Amino acid sequence: MSDGKRVLLAEPRSLCAGVRRAIAIIDLALEQHGAPIYVRKEIVHNHYVVREFQRRGVRFVDSEQEVPEGAVCVFSAHGVSPQVRQNAEARGLDVLDATCPLVAKVHQEARRFARDGRTLLLVGHADHEEVEGTYGHAPDQTIIVETVADAEALDLPSDAAVAYLTQTTLSVDETRDIIAVLQGRFIDLRGPATDDICYASQNRQDGIRAIVDRCDLVLVVGSTNSSNSIRMVEVARRLGGRAELVPDVTHFDPTWLAGVSTVGVSAGASAPEILVDQLLDRLAELGYADTSVERVATEDIVFFPPTRLTGVADAP
């Protein structure tokens, strides 16, 4: 490893197509309806994005029941349960749905497996909004599985008709281990036609894998409640690297750089590039101005906002 101080910048990083779509929906809603508009939960899990929208008159609420009757209400990118939609309809809310299309796909799969009479094993974190929404599509038939130990402890017979789905922002490696346990336990197990973990989560984790062996320290820009950002840090550490989560440059600790020649930098799928730029500027001030890019994939997917806001049809 070179003695010179340098930064290895992983690519792709920062905002994914689903997050860009969610942000665009609020931008268009503000433009067409004016403030205030209401958003159920955080539109995406990033404090900078939330603060900027609050500054422009967006009000974030924990429940659709807090939204004034008839007001504009945006559902976050993480998706909601059918009960939330029913509550919003009962209040006459003007709903704009910013659910990521990849999360909506998981909801469709949950309904299909439930119709088939299968017990749904939902791999994910019980307290995450995405899992709460997916669970709500088949609550009487769904068991949440958070760990390998949970998978091993399931009180179901080996011939039970079961199916599994996963939260889209999990660690690819950890999810693979859980699914392997399920496959070993159940002879009538079904799964999604394609991997539920979203392309952006996979790409950002692959970016970490590509650089970690060449870095003395890996910094992942992302909020503390961002599942995909936390998984990136975990991937680096699992591979033996030093890694820290950096919500923004004010959380960066220069003492982390003691004895460090090469710093790896990436960002979660909900972290705007401006936060990466601010961190790179700070690193440059500290002597880490030599930056090279490691690209593991090219992302050209675009998810369009609803037609009622743009006049442009949703991407297939």
Side-chain angles (χ1 to χ4, degrees):
M1 193 175 292
S2 170
D3 290 332
K5 295 178 178 180
R6 69 187 186 114
V7 172
L8 197 51
L9 189 59
E11 195 169 309
R13 65 184 175 277
S14 194
L15 303 185
C16 65
V19 169
R20 293 183 188 279
R21 175 179 180 271
I23 290 173
I25 285 173
I26 296 187
D27 282 335
L28 290 166
L30 284 169
E31 179 182 314
Q32 295 178 23
H33 297 278
I37 65 168
Y38 294 81
V39 179
R40 185 186 183 277
K41 306 291 188 179
E42 294 187 351
I43 183 65
V44 297
H45 283 161
N46 185 268
H47 68 281
Y48 176 88
V49 172
V50 169
R51 261 203 324 264
E52 286 299 296
F53 277 132
Q54 285 174 327
R55 185 178 58 80
R56 294 169 58 191
V58 176
R59 299 179 183 175
F60 294 90
V61 296
D62 285 331
S63 169
E64 65 284 357
Q65 305 284 16
E66 301 174 48
V67 180
E69 292 187 6
V72 175
C73 178
V74 181
F75 292 155
S76 81
H78 304 109
V80 299
S81 70
Q83 185 62 57
V84 169
R85 295 184 186 278
Q86 292 169 17
N87 294 343
E89 184 177 355
R91 294 182 64 76
L93 303 184
D94 184 0
V95 170
L96 295 169
D97 190 356
T99 300
C100 173
L102 300 181
V103 174
K105 166 182 166 285
V106 177
H107 291 175
Q108 292 171 352
E109 292 165 338
R111 294 193 295 271
R112 174 169 61 88
F113 287 134
R115 283 196 302 268
D116 292 343
R118 292 183 176 274
T119 296
L120 181 60
L121 307 177
L122 178 54
V123 180
H125 301 291
D127 59 352
H128 193 280
E129 290 156 33
E130 180 188 327
V131 171
E132 292 173 1
T134 302
Y135 181 90
H137 283 265
D140 297 332
Q141 295 170 243
T142 302
I143 301 171
I144 297 174
V145 180
E146 298 197 63
T147 64
V148 167
D150 287 346
E152 293 171 340
L154 287 167
D155 186 17
L156 294 169
S158 62
D159 61 351
V162 295
Y164 73 86
L165 295 172
T166 70
Q167 180 181 331
T168 62
T169 55
L170 296 180
S171 159
V172 176
D173 296 334
E174 187 176 16
T175 306
R176 187 181 297 121
D177 292 342
I178 294 174
I179 293 171
V181 171
L182 298 178
Q183 290 170 333
R185 286 203 53 191
F186 301 107
I187 59 176
D188 188 11
L189 175 70
R190 298 287 185 271
T194 57
D195 194 351
D196 283 337
I197 296 177
C198 86
Y199 75 93
S201 292
Q202 291 180 355
N203 287 344
R204 281 149 189 74
Q205 290 173 29
D206 287 345
I208 294 295
R209 292 187 186 93
I211 68 173
V212 64
D213 286 345
R214 288 172 282 160
C215 298
D216 304 301
L217 173 68
V218 173
L219 302 176
V220 175
V221 179
S223 289
T224 55
N225 63 340
S226 167
S227 176
N228 76 88
S229 301
I230 293 169
R231 302 291 87 77
M232 292 165 67
V233 172
E234 291 175 350
V235 166
R237 291 174 177 170
R238 191 176 300 121
L239 294 173
R242 281 183 59 209
E244 300 290 345
L245 185 68
V246 185
D248 59 49
V249 71
T250 66
H251 291 79
F252 169 69
D253 184 349
T255 64
W256 293 340
L257 298 175
V260 169
S261 295
T262 301
V263 181
V265 174
S266 188
S270 52
E273 187 70 11
I274 186 174
L275 300 181
V276 178
D277 292 341
Q278 291 169 353
L279 178 61
L280 293 176
D281 289 345
R282 180 67 177 125
L283 288 170
E285 292 172 357
L286 296 168
Y288 296 81
D290 179 10
T291 301
S292 56
V293 174
E294 178 77 16
R295 182 194 298 269
V296 298
T298 299
E299 293 180 352
D300 54 10
I301 294 174
V302 177
F303 294 141
F304 292 99
T307 305
R308 59 174 284 202
L309 290 176
T310 66
V312 179
D314 287 338

